[in-house]
Amino acid sequence: MDYANILVSADLSDASPDRVRLAAGLAQRFEAILTGAAAHKVPAPILVRDVYDAIEQEECNKAKVSGILEEAHALFERSAGEGIRTEWLAAFAGPTTHLVQQARAADLVVVGRRGPEDDDTDPLGVPPGPVLMEAGRPVLVAPPQLVQLKGTRIVVAWKDRPEVRRAVTAALPFLRDADQVFVVTVGDDAGHEGAEAVTGHLARHGVHATTHLMRAVRQESDEILEFAQHQDADLVVMGAYGHSRLREWIFGGVTRDALERSPVCSLMSH
């Protein structure tokens, strides 16, 4: 698998320029097109006097939203820099809906981490959870203030589940380039998850991988993130587990912690 088109969510938050720069670096590395996407719904007219007033309000609202999207476009172009091919996709729509739709023509989707301490007030902002559940593409969740992903040391948080298998396949371009890949399984049944077989499989792809079976002393997500930090890894590859309930996205502990507080990038698949 190769990355020919990398799609990044662009908005007007403080974290957006760094996210676009990170995605641009990946596009240059993998010789891919970088596509920026942003969307904003046009507010409906309110307290209209007649049909002409409604039309006037509609046009005024469209002009305001167009200005916001043009500002995001300019930020995207400045942050992407030169030396790569770029495309821009904007729409009068919900930001998440638009990004999920455009993911149909992308190999990798880059979004920002969204935790309690992260900025989530931008009207163009996209929460990563719904994108993970709906896009049908691997999603790279980037923490704020991170402008580069080297991926020289990578942790694969292995569980023998379909989501993790898909994530490993999606991450192969990163894994092949890494100096060291750590296939990590945490829990009392760590020896029965097939991590050694996965390490052998990756070796056949030219990946320098080792297996690490760990007993869970604390919460599984804490063990994985601490292991990644101790190994100076800057990317964790993992599956995303969750389900929808009345359009509220509920995730298990490891997924939730990666979406909200991981200090390193997480490449995830559902």
Side-chain angles (χ1 to χ4, degrees), residues 7-29:
L7 176 68
V8 62
S9 171
D11 54 53
L12 299 178
S13 69
D14 292 339
S16 184
D18 292 342
R19 184 189 322 130
V20 174
R21 290 187 190 103
L22 186 148
L26 297 179
Q28 187 171 41
R29 173 178 170 183

Side-chain angles (χ1 to χ4, degrees), residues 110-168:
V110 181
V111 298
R113 191 187 70 186
R114 182 70 69 85
E117 298 180 359
D118 298 328
D119 180 18
D120 62 355
T121 60
D122 191 279
L124 307 181
V126 173
V131 179
L132 268 168
M133 296 294 285
E134 294 187 31
R137 292 289 186 267
V139 175
L140 182 71
V141 181
Q145 300 180 351
L146 192 66
V147 299
Q148 186 180 35
L149 172 57
K150 294 181 178 179
T152 52
R153 297 169 71 83
I154 300 174
V155 170
V156 174
W158 178 256
K159 290 286 186 182
D160 197 8
R161 298 183 61 165
E163 296 90 343
V164 190
R165 297 184 185 192
R166 296 188 190 105
V168 170

